[in-house]
């Protein structure tokens, strides 16, 4: 009880801080950095370094109420086909900009619902991307899959194009919880999807769950976890629901009175985490779990774990090229986000220019703080000598922050000459601790709660 009170006093239940899938975070981006910077950075890439590619498919047949992603509903494939035309035009622009010989080490399709694409469009899009940025021999191709929007023909098309990792959205299997978030997804449908993926040779399967949903109780979540374990995924992402109706209007359909209280929400996360670790999964970072033979677990053990816009990853490509509306590119000199609205994105591409509309040019201080935050988020340990080796005397600028963190979080961290480590009992405070290294914390953005 005393430890819980101390966690609460440090902001666990009321602090709103970034998830730090990038640093600086997207609210810091400005329109002063856009397509000219994007073109300059892409043209200067080193062809000897494979890149990651992210393709955003913003369409859904149904709009789940809990989701705050950039998506739009459609009941026909007309808008989707038009969007593919624009993606192909964007790739044509890229072909004229990228250095010859550039290769793709990773490809990820996210959404929205990428599996809204029928087989012919899956082949069309995959071939268009590979024609401009050919894959390396050991590339990884991952796709976000809605089990209610996929069949064997779509899975076969994705597998034919090289998909070797799939991420299925589950959220919660309880019928009442599903009804309260506008996402009906029976367990049998999900199990059929998983079986079809395994039959197609998919070697790595991730399952996304969400805690803190309306009507979610410990008993209901425990039942969901047991069902997830029946599906035998290789990785699990356990995200906290971010209730931000001022950003995502569809969340106004959710009954706020049905949301679990702060302590109940925290208890849900702790219960699920304990069940997954008891089942043999290793805890990865703050909210992921993986089997011991999974690449994510190996990356965590060897210090190669990284964090990007999709969460924790073993992706070691230094550059991420974002394609499609609202997608973000991570380039050597900084970040660029394409125009968020589909119409604005299409208009820019039709005008023969790249779609970058806002971004941020990285300073050396940004890079230093970004690496420190990533260490904490991935390893729960900040390696001080490693920072000094990479950034030289500039790393000493963080020394006062190390001491401030050690003093403020006291029993939940330890500090010596080599490391600032977050103890196990302090893990729930990781995002709050990381925010101490954020030079833009006063930007005025409203982030999700820390718990």
């Amino acid at each position: 009880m005393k430890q819980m009170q101390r966690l609460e006093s440090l902001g666990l239940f009321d602090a709103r801080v970034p998830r730090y899938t990038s640093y600086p975070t997207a609210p810091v981006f400005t329109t002063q950095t856009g397509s000219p910077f994007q073109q300059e950075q892409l043209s200067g890439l080193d062809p000897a370094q494979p890149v990651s590619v992210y393709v955003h498919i913003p369409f859904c047949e149904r709009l789940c109420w809990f989701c705050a992603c950039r998506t739009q509903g459609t009941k026909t494939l007309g808008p989707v086909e038009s969007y593919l035309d624009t993606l192909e035009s964007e790739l044509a622009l890229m072909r004229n900009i990228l250095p010859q010989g550039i290769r793709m080490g990773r490809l990820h399709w996210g959404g929205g619902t990428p599996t809204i694409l029928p087989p012919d469009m899956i082949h069309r899009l995959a071939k268009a991307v590979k024609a401009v940025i050919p894959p390396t021999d050991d590339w990884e191709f991952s796709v976000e899959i809605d089990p209610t929007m996929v069949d064997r023909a779509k899975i076969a098309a994705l597998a034919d194009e090289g998909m070797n990792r799939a991420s299925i959205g589950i959220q919660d299997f309880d019928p009442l919880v599903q009804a309260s978030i506008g996402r009906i997804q029976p367990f049998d449908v999900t199990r059929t999807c998983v079986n079809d993926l395994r039959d197609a040779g998919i070697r790595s399967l991730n399952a996304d769950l969400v805690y803190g949903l309306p009507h979610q109780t410990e008993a209901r979540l425990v039942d969901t976890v047991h069902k997830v374990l029946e599906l035998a995924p290789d990785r699990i992402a356990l995200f906290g629901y971010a209730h931000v109706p001022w950003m995502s209007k569809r969340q106004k359909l959710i009954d706020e009175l049905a949301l679990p209280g702060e302590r109940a929400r925290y208890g849900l996360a702790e219960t699920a985490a304990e069940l997954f670790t008891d089942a043999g999964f290793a805890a990865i970072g703050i909210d992921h779990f993986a089997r011991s033979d999974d690449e994510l677990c190996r990356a965590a053990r060897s210090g190669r774990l990284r964090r990007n816009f999709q969460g924790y990853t073993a992706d070691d490509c230094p550059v991420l090229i974002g394609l499609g509306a609202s997608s973000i590119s991570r380039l050597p000199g900084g970040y660029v986000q394409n125009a968020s609205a589909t119409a604005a994105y299409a208009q820019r591409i039709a005008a023969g220019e790249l779609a970058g509309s806002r971004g941020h040019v990285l300073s050396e201080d940004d890079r230093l703080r970004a690496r420190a935050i990533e260490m904490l988020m991935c390893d729960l340990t900040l390696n001080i000598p490693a920072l000094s080796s990479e950034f030289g005397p500039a790393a000493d600028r963080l020394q006062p922050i190390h001491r401030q963190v050690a003093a403020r979080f006291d029993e939940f961290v330890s500090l010596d000459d080599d490391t600032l480590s977050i103890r196990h009992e302090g893990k729930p405070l990781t995002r709050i601790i990381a925010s101490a290294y954020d030079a833009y914390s006063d930007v005025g953005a409203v982030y999700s709660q820390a718990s």
Side-chain angles (χ1 to χ4, degrees), residues 115 119 122-123 141 145 150-163 196-197 199-202:
T115 47
I122 289 172
H123 289 300
F141 177 18
I145 289 177
V150 76
D151 54 29
R152 288 184 178 180
K154 291 180 179 183
I155 290 172
L158 288 166
D160 286 346
E161 293 298 343
M163 179 181 71
D196 289 344
L197 287 165
D199 289 345
I202 304 308

Side-chain angles (χ1 to χ4, degrees), residues 91-113:
L91 283 162
L93 292 172
M94 292 276 182
R95 186 196 299 274
N96 295 326
I97 295 170
L98 292 169
Q100 193 169 11
I102 204 84
R103 303 287 295 277
M104 174 172 55
R106 304 264 178 153
L107 174 61
H108 183 84
W109 290 3
T113 307

Side-chain angles (χ1 to χ4, degrees), residues 32-106:
Q32 295 174 349
T33 302
S35 58
F37 175 76
Q38 187 179 18
Q39 179 161 338
E40 170 204 317
Q41 290 287 302
L42 290 170
S43 64
L45 293 179
D46 180 1
Q49 290 273 8
V51 300
S52 287
V53 177
Y54 172 77
V55 183
H56 185 58
I57 312 294
F59 299 97
C60 298
E61 274 197 6
R62 61 177 180 182
L63 293 176
C64 303
W65 305 342
F66 74 93
C67 180
C69 298
R70 286 278 183 178
T71 60
Q72 60 192 78
T74 180
K75 293 298 184 183
T76 70
L77 287 174
V80 182
E81 188 160 17
S82 177
Y83 184 76
L84 257 60
D85 291 341
T86 305
L87 280 172
E88 288 178 335
S89 296
E90 184 179 19
L91 283 162
L93 292 172
M94 292 276 182
R95 186 196 299 274
N96 295 326
I97 295 170
L98 292 169
Q100 193 169 11
I102 204 84
R103 303 287 295 277
M104 174 172 55
R106 304 264 178 153

Side-chain angles (χ1 to χ4, degrees), residues 373-414:
I373 288 171
E374 186 177 48
M375 285 180 176
L376 288 169
M377 294 294 296
C378 290
D379 307 323
L380 307 183
T381 297
L382 199 157
N383 187 322
I384 297 172
L387 281 178
S388 296
S389 176
E390 185 173 352
F391 295 96
D396 293 340
R397 293 200 299 265
L398 299 184
Q399 287 292 347
I401 303 178
H402 302 334
R403 293 191 290 270
Q404 290 165 11
V405 167
R408 179 186 173 191
F409 296 96
D410 193 14
E411 69 270 35
F412 296 114
V413 301
S414 60

